[in-house]
Amino acid sequence: MTGTTEHHAPHPHIGGRTTALRALTAWRGAAPGAPRVVVLTGGSGSGRSRLLTGFLMLCEPEYRKQLPLDEMDPSTVPPDLPTPAVPAPEGLTAAQVLWLLADHFELNATSVEGVYAELAALDEPVTVVVPDVDRAGPVRTAGEPARLVREVLSPLAATETVRLLAEVPRPLAAELAEGLPSGTVQIIDLDEPEWADPEGLLRHAQAALSPEFGAPELPFTVDPAARLALGAAIGRRAGTSPLVVQLAVNCILMAPEGFDPADERFLPTSVGEALDLHARRLGTDSRTLRLLLAPLALAEADGLPIQLWARLASAVAGQDMSQAIAGGMLLAGPFVQPEEQDADAADDEQVDGRTLLRLLHPAISDEIRAGLPNVAAAQSQIAMALLEAVPEQDWGKADPYVRDNIAGHTLEAGLLPQLLTDPGLFVHADPVPLRAAIEAVPTEELGAPARTYLRTAPLLTRTEAPAMLRAALLETAFVEDGLPEYAEAIHQRLGLELPWQTLWSLSLPGVSAVTVGSLPRPDGSAAPVAVLVVPAGTPGARPVGAPGDESGSAVLVHDLVRSDHLGDADPEQILRPSEDDRAATPLGLSRGTDYLRVWDRADRSVVAALIADTPFTAADLSPDGILVLATGHGAKALRIRAAGAGIAS
């Protein structure tokens, strides 16, 4: 029997999988003939995550101390080596996973290519273990697992100084192994007979049925012989799936009344059958159970807030499901995992003490989704219900799940472009999942506001910008892109006191210096202006230097407050503030490569802080608080608000 450990204790977390553990141990110890790359795969629910977790316990010094290593089969215990790098990809993009690796190995690379080049140049091999590839990405349907395999794991597998173990879904396993030299890679498919572990499934069932491990005291759980017989029947029916074993036990223990351990008809052979048999045994049709679970199967992120469950189940079903849910935990319980969320963990005061619901395993989600007549239509109904749940259509008041994850639902419904017209959503939604969802839409399908958001999103995600800073950066970006109505909406509709108002923006590369000043008018007054030093030949600019010299610079005079170019202004007439004038102003200016800070001279507090995706090339601040700045993209002017309305960088 595969996986037999006649004279040794099994791994306490795994309870079996001896053959697979031996292969992983050989890889870890670089045994003669062992592959450099191992791809661990199998169907959803095959136990690959559990196996990898148990193996990593053997690779981590603190966990090793807690395991009975002396009692275990020596061929399943890897040598005591430095802990491998384990960049967990759940919820992360492929790029984020790569930079986790770069940070772990303290690489100096500043580009993707540089990371692989530095890894290839290492004197000693490094070990990398990547679990849960199927859970990569901040949005379910954006295709991040495939991107992670193609853009990160495949290059790592091809790097000879990297010893790689990756746990991937079966459809991506062959792709990861493709092209590697013979003997370099081994695919361990836990559903194949070579790696199957029926003895481990029996142990799993027996342990789950035992009162010693939390099962209630029932005739078939307290009697060792009855427990052994039932565990054997459950394992036999489950085939190669530990998940089916777990679901079978959950269903029995959740509703033991009337269960006959001698009747195998109610022991499932698949996830789908576990759903159907449990519903039938409780006197309910399977469709009702599947409709109850559908919102959880379609949910994003860490799970669905319990208060949204009835609303979304009713939306998918097309009928009121609140009564079914009110008494439905006995029905849905074996398949659901509740989780209490607190504000400290979520960094959001709106989630304090609430309960999230998620399905026990992604395979249950796959089964529910496969049974829906039309997933896109179901997601459309969910999206509409989520929109209706936004109080007064104010995204600042929306439930965090709604505001941060509605983009994922509308993406799968094919409706995301229609959603991307509300600046309130751009400002308040978590930019990580929103950006990922938008990037999954073909660019030609996006409207101008969405393209502006996508252009600005790297700044928002890189800085983990709070809502106020997101609003301020987006306000400027909308002006830059010729969408002043969206910038005005941020000021007027969102109720946010932004630290600045963008007055104008010029798409004008090559600005090397900016100066504020004033231009005398014939009536004796003075017009505030900005003087921009630009390359010679710039339209509307006056050359600086000898007549006909096209090799030098030129100056462009622009109204400081309005979006007017003053092409006929004579730069020689412009009056610039003196150093004494500047020192007497209430605001000061500090500049770095990619940040600007405007601060109050009285108490040194920051009034406004700006960041940019390209270096600032010049900046100047007028005595009345108008900031003119330039980057590689062009120049713009911002009216800085009063102190106290600013933001922290």
Side-chain angles (χ1 to χ4, degrees), residues 8 13 42 89 223 283 289 291 298 308 325 355 423 427 449 453 456 471 612 615 641:
H8 301 285
H13 179 76
D223 183 334
L289 173 56
L291 287 174
L298 298 171
L308 289 174
I325 282 181
T355 301
V427 167
Y453 182 88
T456 314
R641 302 289 193 183

Side-chain angles (χ1 to χ4, degrees), residues 420-421 426 443 445-455 478 481-483 485-486:
L420 302 175
T421 58
F426 291 145
T443 304
E445 296 180 16
L446 297 175
R451 293 196 295 272
T452 294
Y453 182 88
L454 206 54
R455 177 176 70 81
F478 284 132
D481 291 352
L483 299 170
E485 65 276 19
Y486 283 89

Side-chain angles (χ1 to χ4, degrees), residues 593-631:
T593 302
D594 60 355
Y595 74 89
L596 284 169
R597 291 191 180 97
V598 179
W599 41 274
D600 190 320
R601 293 184 187 274
D603 59 9
R604 310 294 292 184
S605 63
V606 175
V607 174
L610 292 86
I611 52 176
D613 54 357
T614 58
F616 290 106
T617 57
D620 198 11
L621 183 65
S622 75
D624 56 349
I626 295 179
L627 174 65
V628 182
L629 57 92
T631 68

Side-chain angles (χ1 to χ4, degrees), residues 431 434-435 439 452-462 474:
L434 182 55
R435 176 188 180 184
E439 286 179 338
T452 294
Y453 182 88
L454 206 54
R455 177 176 70 81
T456 314
L459 270 183
L460 309 183
T461 55
R462 174 168 62 88
L474 285 166

Side-chain angles (χ1 to χ4, degrees), residues 363-384:
I364 306 172
S365 173
D366 294 341
E367 172 65 27
I368 299 293
R369 290 165 66 91
L372 291 172
N374 187 322
V375 171
Q379 287 284 32
S380 296
Q381 295 303 113
I382 284 179
M384 294 304 104

Side-chain angles (χ1 to χ4, degrees), residues 89 130-137 144-146 148-149 153 166-169 172:
V130 184
D132 299 321
V133 169
D134 59 327
R135 303 192 182 194
E144 206 62 38
L148 177 59
V149 167
L153 299 185
E167 181 228 319
V168 302
L172 296 173

